[in-house]
Amino acid sequence: MPSSLCGISVDPALVKAVLPGGDSLTTATEKPNGGTVRCNLSVDGKLALSLAQAWWTQGQTTATVSQGYSDTDDGTMSEDLRFVHTGKAGVGKTVSSCEVSRQPEQDLYTVVQTRDTGIDDPEAIEKLLVAYTKAVEGSAACREPAAGS
Protein backbone atom coordinates (compact mmCIF):
# COMPACT_ATOMS: atom_id res chain seq x y z
CA MET A 1 0.00 0.00 0.00
CA PRO A 2 1.39 3.41 -0.90
CA SER A 3 1.52 6.07 1.81
CA SER A 4 0.81 8.73 -0.80
CA LEU A 5 -2.24 8.71 -3.04
CA CYS A 6 -1.65 10.97 -6.04
CA GLY A 7 0.41 13.29 -3.86
CA ILE A 8 -1.76 13.22 -0.73
CA SER A 9 -0.32 11.32 2.25
CA VAL A 10 -2.82 8.99 3.92
CA ASP A 11 -2.32 6.15 6.41
CA PRO A 12 -2.13 3.00 4.21
CA ALA A 13 -4.13 0.98 6.77
CA LEU A 14 -7.12 3.32 6.33
CA VAL A 15 -6.99 2.88 2.57
CA LYS A 16 -6.55 -0.88 2.74
CA ALA A 17 -9.66 -1.15 4.92
CA VAL A 18 -11.89 -0.01 2.06
CA LEU A 19 -10.22 -1.99 -0.73
CA PRO A 20 -11.04 -5.51 -1.85
CA GLY A 21 -8.27 -8.10 -1.69
CA GLY A 22 -5.98 -8.51 -4.68
CA ASP A 23 -2.43 -8.77 -5.94
CA SER A 24 -1.69 -5.44 -7.54
CA LEU A 25 -2.64 -1.85 -6.81
CA THR A 26 -2.29 0.99 -9.29
CA THR A 27 -3.14 4.66 -8.91
CA ALA A 28 -3.94 7.19 -11.60
CA THR A 29 -4.67 10.90 -11.40
CA GLU A 30 -7.56 12.26 -13.44
CA LYS A 31 -8.66 15.88 -13.91
CA PRO A 32 -12.17 15.70 -15.40
CA ASN A 33 -12.66 19.49 -15.15
CA GLY A 34 -10.93 22.63 -13.92
CA GLY A 35 -12.06 22.25 -10.34
CA THR A 36 -11.67 18.53 -9.73
CA VAL A 37 -8.69 16.25 -9.18
CA ARG A 38 -9.50 12.57 -8.82
CA CYS A 39 -7.19 9.78 -7.69
CA ASN A 40 -8.36 6.39 -8.92
CA LEU A 41 -7.12 3.21 -7.24
CA SER A 42 -7.43 -0.04 -9.12
CA VAL A 43 -6.95 -3.50 -7.67
CA ASP A 44 -5.85 -6.12 -10.19
CA GLY A 45 -6.77 -3.73 -12.99
CA LYS A 46 -10.33 -3.04 -11.79
CA LEU A 47 -11.30 0.38 -10.44
CA ALA A 48 -11.90 -0.05 -6.70
CA LEU A 49 -11.70 3.37 -5.03
CA SER A 50 -11.84 6.97 -6.09
CA LEU A 51 -10.63 9.88 -3.94
CA ALA A 52 -11.39 13.34 -5.21
CA GLN A 53 -10.83 17.00 -4.42
CA ALA A 54 -13.55 19.19 -5.88
CA TRP A 55 -14.10 22.94 -5.70
CA TRP A 56 -17.71 24.03 -5.27
CA THR A 57 -19.20 27.52 -5.11
CA GLN A 58 -19.23 28.97 -1.61
CA GLY A 59 -22.54 28.75 0.22
CA GLN A 60 -23.10 25.08 -0.55
CA THR A 61 -23.31 22.58 2.27
CA THR A 62 -21.83 19.13 2.57
CA ALA A 63 -25.36 17.75 2.31
CA THR A 64 -25.96 19.60 -0.98
CA VAL A 65 -22.59 18.69 -2.46
CA SER A 66 -23.00 15.03 -1.53
CA GLN A 67 -26.07 14.85 -3.77
CA GLY A 68 -23.68 15.17 -6.70
CA TYR A 69 -22.01 11.87 -5.86
CA SER A 70 -23.35 8.33 -5.92
CA ASP A 71 -23.79 6.13 -2.85
CA THR A 72 -24.05 9.04 -0.38
CA ASP A 73 -27.85 9.07 -0.06
CA ASP A 74 -29.12 8.78 3.51
CA GLY A 75 -25.57 9.05 4.79
CA THR A 76 -24.59 9.80 8.37
CA MET A 77 -23.79 13.50 8.93
CA SER A 78 -21.06 14.49 11.39
CA GLU A 79 -21.96 16.79 14.27
CA ASP A 80 -20.02 19.69 12.73
CA LEU A 81 -21.86 19.12 9.41
CA ARG A 82 -18.54 18.88 7.54
CA PHE A 83 -18.74 15.18 6.71
CA VAL A 84 -21.40 12.82 5.40
CA HIS A 85 -20.75 9.15 4.73
CA THR A 86 -22.30 5.75 4.06
CA GLY A 87 -20.61 2.36 3.95
CA LYS A 88 -19.62 2.97 0.33
CA ALA A 89 -18.85 6.68 -0.04
CA GLY A 90 -18.45 10.00 1.72
CA VAL A 91 -18.04 13.73 1.19
CA GLY A 92 -16.07 16.11 3.40
CA LYS A 93 -15.63 19.88 3.50
CA THR A 94 -12.18 21.33 4.09
CA VAL A 95 -11.63 24.06 6.67
CA SER A 96 -12.55 27.60 5.66
CA SER A 97 -8.88 28.63 5.67
CA CYS A 98 -8.44 26.43 2.60
CA GLU A 99 -8.76 29.20 0.02
CA VAL A 100 -6.77 29.86 -3.12
CA SER A 101 -7.06 32.74 -5.57
CA ARG A 102 -7.17 30.35 -8.54
CA GLN A 103 -10.55 29.12 -7.20
CA PRO A 104 -12.22 32.37 -6.06
CA GLU A 105 -15.43 32.22 -4.02
CA GLN A 106 -15.16 28.45 -3.78
CA ASP A 107 -14.80 25.82 -1.06
CA LEU A 108 -12.80 22.63 -1.45
CA TYR A 109 -14.59 19.35 -0.79
CA THR A 110 -13.18 15.84 -0.63
CA VAL A 111 -14.94 12.75 -1.92
CA VAL A 112 -14.28 9.08 -1.17
CA GLN A 113 -16.14 6.52 -3.32
CA THR A 114 -15.81 2.76 -3.52
CA ARG A 115 -16.52 1.27 -6.93
CA ASP A 116 -18.54 -1.96 -7.14
CA THR A 117 -16.22 -3.73 -4.72
CA GLY A 118 -18.79 -5.10 -2.29
CA ILE A 119 -17.29 -2.93 0.47
CA ASP A 120 -19.93 -1.60 2.85
CA ASP A 121 -18.20 -0.35 5.97
CA PRO A 122 -19.36 3.03 7.30
CA GLU A 123 -16.68 3.18 10.01
CA ALA A 124 -13.83 2.52 7.57
CA ILE A 125 -15.21 5.05 5.06
CA GLU A 126 -15.57 7.69 7.77
CA LYS A 127 -11.99 7.18 9.04
CA LEU A 128 -10.55 7.40 5.54
CA LEU A 129 -12.70 10.42 4.64
CA VAL A 130 -11.66 12.41 7.71
CA ALA A 131 -7.97 11.47 7.32
CA TYR A 132 -7.98 12.26 3.59
CA THR A 133 -9.70 15.61 4.20
CA LYS A 134 -7.11 16.57 6.83
CA ALA A 135 -4.29 15.51 4.49
CA VAL A 136 -5.74 17.63 1.67
CA GLU A 137 -6.03 20.58 4.06
CA GLY A 138 -2.31 20.27 4.74
CA SER A 139 -1.36 19.88 1.09
CA ALA A 140 -0.57 22.30 -1.72
CA ALA A 141 -4.24 22.13 -2.75
CA CYS A 142 -5.02 24.53 0.11
CA ARG A 143 -2.08 26.88 -0.33
CA GLU A 144 -1.27 29.64 -2.74
CA PRO A 145 1.66 28.74 -4.99
CA ALA A 146 4.90 30.44 -3.96
CA ALA A 147 5.59 33.74 -5.70
CA GLY A 148 7.41 33.24 -8.96
CA SER A 149 6.48 29.58 -9.30
Side-chain angles (χ1 to χ4, degrees):
M1 288 300 308
S3 58
S4 172
L5 299 173
C6 306
I8 303 293
S9 298
V10 182
D11 180 349
L14 297 178
V15 179
K16 189 173 184 194
V18 299
L19 288 176
D23 298 320
S24 69
L25 177 71
T26 53
T27 61
T29 303
E30 187 181 82
K31 296 186 177 176
N33 59 50
T36 301
V37 179
R38 188 176 293 131
C39 184
N40 291 323
L41 283 72
S42 297
V43 174
D44 296 344
K46 184 171 185 263
L47 183 60
L49 180 69
S50 175
L51 300 172
Q53 304 166 36
W55 290 93
W56 286 71
T57 307
Q58 281 177 351
Q60 304 287 330
T61 64
T62 303
T64 314
V65 171
S66 70
Q67 292 171 5
Y69 300 96
S70 57
D71 294 323
T72 58
D73 294 351
D74 301 321
T76 303
M77 182 70 72
S78 63
E79 281 187 28
D80 61 8
L81 306 181
R82 281 180 57 204
F83 302 97
V84 63
H85 72 281
T86 64
K88 298 181 185 318
V91 173
K93 182 179 182 182
T94 61
V95 287
S96 57
S97 58
C98 179
E99 287 184 315
V100 292
S101 56
R102 64 185 181 272
Q103 300 290 353
E105 310 288 306
Q106 294 188 317
D107 291 322
L108 184 60
Y109 286 82
T110 54
V111 186
V112 172
Q113 291 175 292
T114 58
R115 303 288 189 183
D116 300 325
T117 53
I119 300 285
D120 191 350
D121 187 337
E123 192 176 331
I125 292 288
E126 181 182 30
K127 284 181 179 168
L128 175 59
L129 176 65
V130 171
Y132 179 65
T133 303
K134 285 187 172 147
V136 168
E137 288 169 352
S139 78
C142 282
R143 285 194 296 274
E144 293 292 346
S149 66

